[in-house]
Amino acid sequence: MTTSFAKNPRNRVKRAHQRAAYDHETVFAMIDAAPLCHVGYVINGQPYVTPTLVWRVEDRLYWHGSSASRMLRAVKTGIPVCVTASILDGWVLTRSGFHHSANYRAVMAFGSAALEEDTERKDAALIHMVEHFFPGRAAAMRGNNAQELKATTLVSMVIEDAAAKIRNGPPVDDDEDMASDIWAGVVPVETKLGMPVDDALLKPGVVRPDMMIRVPGDGALVEIEKSVG
Protein backbone atom coordinates (compact mmCIF):
# COMPACT_ATOMS: atom_id res chain seq x y z
CA MET A 1 0.00 0.00 0.00
CA THR A 2 1.45 3.35 -1.05
CA THR A 3 1.88 6.16 1.45
CA SER A 4 1.89 8.98 -1.12
CA PHE A 5 -0.20 10.08 -4.06
CA ALA A 6 1.60 9.67 -7.36
CA LYS A 7 2.40 12.93 -9.15
CA ASN A 8 0.56 13.32 -12.44
CA PRO A 9 -0.74 16.16 -14.65
CA ARG A 10 -3.88 16.51 -12.52
CA ASN A 11 -2.26 17.03 -9.12
CA ARG A 12 1.31 18.13 -9.84
CA VAL A 13 2.19 21.48 -8.22
CA LYS A 14 4.00 23.60 -10.80
CA ARG A 15 4.47 27.00 -9.18
CA ALA A 16 6.73 26.96 -6.10
CA HIS A 17 6.86 23.18 -6.39
CA GLN A 18 9.33 23.00 -3.48
CA ARG A 19 6.36 23.71 -1.19
CA ALA A 20 4.40 20.71 -2.42
CA ALA A 21 3.68 17.54 -0.46
CA TYR A 22 2.03 14.40 -1.78
CA ASP A 23 2.30 12.06 1.20
CA HIS A 24 -0.90 10.77 2.78
CA GLU A 25 0.03 11.96 6.27
CA THR A 26 0.34 15.62 5.23
CA VAL A 27 -2.70 15.61 2.95
CA PHE A 28 -4.98 13.85 5.44
CA ALA A 29 -3.87 16.00 8.38
CA MET A 30 -4.59 19.16 6.43
CA ILE A 31 -8.09 18.03 5.47
CA ASP A 32 -8.80 17.07 9.09
CA ALA A 33 -7.67 20.49 10.27
CA ALA A 34 -9.90 22.42 7.83
CA PRO A 35 -13.47 21.14 8.20
CA LEU A 36 -14.99 23.79 5.91
CA CYS A 37 -13.91 22.71 2.45
CA HIS A 38 -14.97 23.70 -1.06
CA VAL A 39 -16.35 21.21 -3.59
CA GLY A 40 -15.78 22.15 -7.23
CA TYR A 41 -17.73 20.61 -10.11
CA VAL A 42 -19.22 21.47 -13.51
CA ILE A 43 -22.91 21.31 -14.50
CA ASN A 44 -23.73 21.81 -18.17
CA GLY A 45 -20.49 23.68 -18.75
CA GLN A 46 -20.98 26.02 -15.78
CA PRO A 47 -18.41 25.66 -12.97
CA TYR A 48 -19.60 25.81 -9.35
CA VAL A 49 -17.71 25.79 -6.06
CA THR A 50 -19.75 24.99 -2.94
CA PRO A 51 -18.45 25.46 0.62
CA THR A 52 -19.50 22.60 2.87
CA LEU A 53 -18.39 20.61 5.89
CA VAL A 54 -16.24 17.64 4.85
CA TRP A 55 -14.95 14.82 7.01
CA ARG A 56 -12.58 11.96 6.29
CA VAL A 57 -12.58 8.23 6.97
CA GLU A 58 -9.21 6.85 5.83
CA ASP A 59 -8.91 7.81 2.14
CA ARG A 60 -12.62 8.60 1.67
CA LEU A 61 -14.21 12.04 2.06
CA TYR A 62 -17.84 12.60 3.03
CA TRP A 63 -20.19 15.56 2.82
CA HIS A 64 -23.94 15.84 3.20
CA GLY A 65 -26.89 18.14 2.87
CA SER A 66 -30.53 18.48 1.90
CA SER A 67 -31.84 16.12 -0.76
CA ALA A 68 -32.96 19.26 -2.65
CA SER A 69 -29.42 20.63 -2.94
CA ARG A 70 -28.34 21.32 -6.54
CA MET A 71 -24.74 20.44 -5.70
CA LEU A 72 -25.67 17.13 -4.14
CA ARG A 73 -28.09 16.23 -6.95
CA ALA A 74 -25.26 16.81 -9.43
CA VAL A 75 -22.27 15.21 -7.72
CA LYS A 76 -24.12 12.09 -6.58
CA THR A 77 -24.33 10.95 -10.20
CA GLY A 78 -20.61 10.27 -10.22
CA ILE A 79 -19.23 13.38 -11.92
CA PRO A 80 -15.58 14.34 -11.30
CA VAL A 81 -15.11 16.73 -8.41
CA CYS A 82 -12.24 18.62 -6.80
CA VAL A 83 -12.32 19.20 -3.04
CA THR A 84 -10.08 21.94 -1.67
CA ALA A 85 -9.19 22.95 1.88
CA SER A 86 -7.08 25.89 3.03
CA ILE A 87 -5.83 27.42 6.25
CA LEU A 88 -4.36 30.91 6.55
CA ASP A 89 -1.56 30.86 9.16
CA GLY A 90 -0.13 34.37 8.79
CA TRP A 91 0.43 37.47 6.69
CA VAL A 92 4.01 37.91 5.46
CA LEU A 93 4.95 41.58 5.11
CA THR A 94 8.10 42.27 3.13
CA ARG A 95 10.07 45.37 2.27
CA SER A 96 8.49 45.59 -1.18
CA GLY A 97 4.91 45.25 -2.30
CA PHE A 98 5.88 42.61 -4.84
CA HIS A 99 7.09 40.06 -2.27
CA HIS A 100 4.21 40.35 0.22
CA SER A 101 2.86 36.88 0.83
CA ALA A 102 1.07 34.62 3.29
CA ASN A 103 1.86 31.55 5.33
CA TYR A 104 -0.74 28.93 4.53
CA ARG A 105 -1.63 25.27 4.22
CA ALA A 106 -3.74 24.16 1.26
CA VAL A 107 -4.75 20.88 -0.31
CA MET A 108 -6.54 19.77 -3.48
CA ALA A 109 -8.13 16.32 -3.66
CA PHE A 110 -9.57 14.76 -6.81
CA GLY A 111 -12.05 11.95 -7.35
CA SER A 112 -15.59 11.06 -8.38
CA ALA A 113 -18.58 11.57 -6.09
CA ALA A 114 -20.81 8.65 -5.20
CA LEU A 115 -24.19 8.58 -3.49
CA GLU A 116 -24.39 6.54 -0.29
CA GLU A 117 -27.80 4.85 -0.36
CA ASP A 118 -27.39 2.13 2.25
CA THR A 119 -29.26 3.37 5.33
CA GLU A 120 -26.99 1.71 7.88
CA ARG A 121 -23.80 3.00 6.26
CA LYS A 122 -25.33 6.47 5.91
CA ASP A 123 -26.30 6.52 9.59
CA ALA A 124 -22.84 5.33 10.63
CA ALA A 125 -21.14 7.99 8.48
CA LEU A 126 -23.30 10.79 9.89
CA ILE A 127 -22.58 9.67 13.45
CA HIS A 128 -18.89 9.55 12.56
CA MET A 129 -19.17 13.18 11.39
CA VAL A 130 -20.31 14.32 14.82
CA GLU A 131 -17.68 12.21 16.56
CA HIS A 132 -15.00 13.47 14.16
CA PHE A 133 -15.65 17.13 14.98
CA PHE A 134 -16.70 16.66 18.63
CA PRO A 135 -15.13 13.53 20.17
CA GLY A 136 -17.43 11.97 22.76
CA ARG A 137 -20.52 13.85 21.59
CA ALA A 138 -22.17 11.00 19.66
CA ALA A 139 -22.84 8.93 22.79
CA ALA A 140 -24.64 11.84 24.48
CA MET A 141 -27.02 12.85 21.67
CA ARG A 142 -30.20 11.50 20.13
CA GLY A 143 -29.57 9.36 17.07
CA ASN A 144 -30.89 9.96 13.55
CA ASN A 145 -34.43 8.79 12.84
CA ALA A 146 -35.72 7.31 9.58
CA GLN A 147 -37.24 10.58 8.36
CA GLU A 148 -34.02 12.50 8.96
CA LEU A 149 -31.96 9.90 7.13
CA LYS A 150 -34.36 10.00 4.19
CA ALA A 151 -34.14 13.80 4.02
CA THR A 152 -30.34 13.77 4.05
CA THR A 153 -28.21 13.11 1.00
CA LEU A 154 -24.77 11.71 1.79
CA VAL A 155 -22.02 11.78 -0.81
CA SER A 156 -18.59 10.22 -0.56
CA MET A 157 -15.44 10.42 -2.66
CA VAL A 158 -12.39 8.21 -2.60
CA ILE A 159 -9.32 10.44 -2.94
CA GLU A 160 -7.74 9.32 -6.20
CA ASP A 161 -5.15 12.11 -6.48
CA ALA A 162 -4.16 14.88 -4.10
CA ALA A 163 -1.48 17.45 -3.42
CA ALA A 164 -0.78 19.78 -0.52
CA LYS A 165 1.07 23.07 -0.66
CA ILE A 166 2.55 24.80 2.37
CA ARG A 167 4.23 28.16 2.89
CA ASN A 168 5.65 28.70 6.36
CA GLY A 169 8.48 31.08 7.08
CA PRO A 170 9.81 34.64 7.26
CA PRO A 171 9.78 37.31 4.56
CA VAL A 172 11.88 36.79 1.46
CA ASP A 173 13.19 40.09 0.08
CA ASP A 174 15.53 41.16 -2.67
CA ASP A 175 19.10 41.72 -1.51
CA GLU A 176 19.00 45.41 -2.46
CA ASP A 177 16.01 45.99 -0.14
CA MET A 178 17.56 44.47 2.98
CA ALA A 179 19.31 47.69 4.03
CA SER A 180 16.10 49.76 3.95
CA ASP A 181 14.34 51.15 7.03
CA ILE A 182 11.08 49.40 6.13
CA TRP A 183 9.64 46.99 8.73
CA ALA A 184 9.18 43.41 7.64
CA GLY A 185 7.84 40.39 9.48
CA VAL A 186 4.97 37.95 9.94
CA VAL A 187 1.55 38.68 11.42
CA PRO A 188 0.24 35.33 12.74
CA VAL A 189 -3.37 34.37 11.99
CA GLU A 190 -5.06 31.89 14.34
CA THR A 191 -8.43 30.14 14.45
CA LYS A 192 -9.55 29.28 17.97
CA LEU A 193 -12.61 27.85 19.65
CA GLY A 194 -14.28 30.17 22.10
CA MET A 195 -16.09 29.27 25.31
CA PRO A 196 -19.39 27.50 24.50
CA VAL A 197 -22.56 29.56 24.97
CA ASP A 198 -25.48 27.68 26.54
CA ASP A 199 -28.75 27.52 24.63
CA ALA A 200 -31.21 29.85 26.37
CA LEU A 201 -33.88 27.14 26.08
CA LEU A 202 -31.96 24.44 27.94
CA LYS A 203 -34.02 22.40 30.33
CA PRO A 204 -33.40 23.60 33.93
CA GLY A 205 -30.60 21.65 35.56
CA VAL A 206 -28.88 20.64 32.31
CA VAL A 207 -25.20 21.46 32.55
CA ARG A 208 -22.54 21.64 29.89
CA PRO A 209 -20.80 18.24 29.62
CA ASP A 210 -17.10 17.65 29.82
CA MET A 211 -16.08 17.31 26.17
CA MET A 212 -12.87 17.12 24.22
CA ILE A 213 -13.19 19.33 21.17
CA ARG A 214 -10.85 19.41 18.20
CA VAL A 215 -9.34 22.83 17.57
CA PRO A 216 -9.47 23.76 13.87
CA GLY A 217 -6.02 24.48 12.50
CA ASP A 218 -3.75 22.16 14.44
CA GLY A 219 -5.80 19.13 15.45
CA ALA A 220 -4.90 19.62 19.12
CA LEU A 221 -7.41 18.73 21.82
CA VAL A 222 -8.54 21.11 24.54
CA GLU A 223 -10.97 20.56 27.37
CA ILE A 224 -14.01 22.79 27.58
CA GLU A 225 -14.92 23.82 31.11
CA LYS A 226 -18.05 22.41 32.69
CA SER A 227 -20.86 24.78 33.56
CA VAL A 228 -21.39 25.54 37.20
CA GLY A 229 -24.90 25.36 38.73
Side-chain angles (χ1 to χ4, degrees), residues 48-60:
Y48 294 90
V49 178
T50 302
T52 187
L53 291 176
V54 173
W55 67 101
R56 181 184 64 86
V57 180
E58 297 180 346
D59 64 345
R60 184 180 292 271

Side-chain angles (χ1 to χ4, degrees), residues 136-154:
R137 179 69 175 170
M141 67 181 190
R142 174 182 67 78
N144 303 306
N145 60 42
Q147 183 177 354
E148 291 167 339
L149 290 173
K150 183 178 180 180
T152 302
T153 295
L154 178 68

Side-chain angles (χ1 to χ4, degrees), residues 52 65 79 95 140 150 160 187 203 210 213 217:
T52 187
I79 63 174
R95 295 164 180 81
K150 183 178 180 180
E160 300 169 359
V187 181
K203 179 181 176 181
D210 292 325
I213 297 184

Side-chain angles (χ1 to χ4, degrees), residues 21 122 192 200 214:
K122 180 191 288 190
K192 296 182 178 180
R214 193 177 303 279

Side-chain angles (χ1 to χ4, degrees), residues 42-218:
V42 176
I43 302 177
N44 297 326
Q46 171 63 52
Y48 294 90
V49 178
T50 302
T52 187
L53 291 176
V54 173
W55 67 101
R56 181 184 64 86
V57 180
E58 297 180 346
D59 64 345
R60 184 180 292 271
L61 301 181
Y62 288 91
W63 59 95
H64 79 298
S66 167
S67 298
S69 165
R70 174 176 59 188
M71 181 266 286
L72 293 175
R73 290 201 310 269
V75 301
K76 71 183 182 182
T77 61
I79 63 174
V81 296
C82 176
V83 178
T84 63
S86 57
I87 302 170
L88 178 63
D89 291 318
W91 294 110
V92 181
L93 281 65
T94 60
R95 295 164 180 81
S96 69
F98 180 79
H99 288 300
H100 274 59
S101 186
N103 285 334
Y104 62 88
R105 289 167 283 165
V107 64
M108 298 180 70
F110 302 90
S112 294
L115 178 65
E116 181 56 77
E117 297 184 279
D118 182 86
T119 301
E120 291 186 5
R121 288 199 297 265
K122 180 191 288 190
D123 189 35
L126 293 174
I127 292 174
H128 185 278
M129 175 191 68
V130 176
E131 193 66 18
H132 176 76
F133 294 131
F134 308 102
R137 179 69 175 170
M141 67 181 190
R142 174 182 67 78
N144 303 306
N145 60 42
Q147 183 177 354
E148 291 167 339
L149 290 173
K150 183 178 180 180
T152 302
T153 295
L154 178 68
V155 175
S156 70
M157 184 196 86
V158 173
I159 304 175
E160 300 169 359
D161 296 313
K165 191 175 181 182
I166 303 169
R167 202 278 186 195
N168 184 27
V172 177
D173 275 298
D174 295 330
D175 291 341
E176 56 268 28
D177 292 328
M178 297 303 292
S180 70
D181 295 328
I182 302 170
W183 182 89
V186 176
V187 181
V189 176
E190 298 180 357
T191 300
K192 296 182 178 180
L193 292 179
M195 184 60 62
V197 177
D198 293 337
D199 182 1
L201 300 179
L202 279 177
K203 179 181 176 181
V206 175
V207 297
R208 189 181 308 142
D210 292 325
M211 294 196 314
M212 301 299 288
I213 297 184
R214 193 177 303 279
V215 178
D218 61 8

